Amino acid sequence: MAEYAVVAVLVTAAVTWALRALPFAALAPLRAGATVRYLSTRMPAGVMVILVVYCLRDLPVTESRAVAPLAALAVTVGLHLWRRNALLSILAGTAVHVTLASAFFTR
């Protein structure tokens, strides 16, 4: 019985290791390609646009509870355009949203 448990653990470890190593081994030849270079420059902005659309898609802009997310978005975009520092703009936008949402728009 103990042998089966040891074999099961070893097989599970081998499969886990193979599944984690496979993407690195398969993508290694593609890294020098033009498509991967193009995607590496365009994907961060694309992902951010998708996240913003997803987060704001059901936001009722005519209600007062829309002020906090819209103000946070404005602060984040404005600060990023001004300072070009992603960490600073994300932290400031988050702080604005948390402050407005908790101080003025609690239910």
Side-chain angles (χ1 to χ4, degrees):
M1 186 72 151
E3 297 86 21
Y4 293 119
V6 170
V7 171
V9 169
L10 291 175
V11 169
T12 304
V15 169
T16 301
W17 182 85
L19 288 174
R20 290 178 185 236
L22 183 64
F24 294 103
L27 293 177
L30 299 175
R31 287 200 174 115
T35 303
V36 173
R37 276 193 310 255
Y38 174 79
L39 288 175
S40 70
T41 59
R42 301 293 191 257
M43 283 299 291
V47 169
M48 291 306 293
V49 168
I50 290 169
L51 286 171
V52 167
V53 169
Y54 177 78
C55 290
L56 299 179
R57 69 178 179 182
D58 295 329
L59 186 68
V61 292
T62 57
E63 294 182 19
S64 63
R65 65 186 173 107
V67 171
L70 293 177
L73 178 64
V75 166
T76 303
V77 170
L79 196 56
H80 188 71
L81 290 175
W82 177 46
R83 303 297 289 181
R84 299 279 184 208
N85 186 334
L87 182 61
L88 176 65
S89 57
I90 291 170
L91 288 176
T94 302
V96 167
H97 183 271
V98 168
T99 302
L100 289 176
S102 64
F104 301 109
F105 301 105
T106 57
R107 291 178 189 220

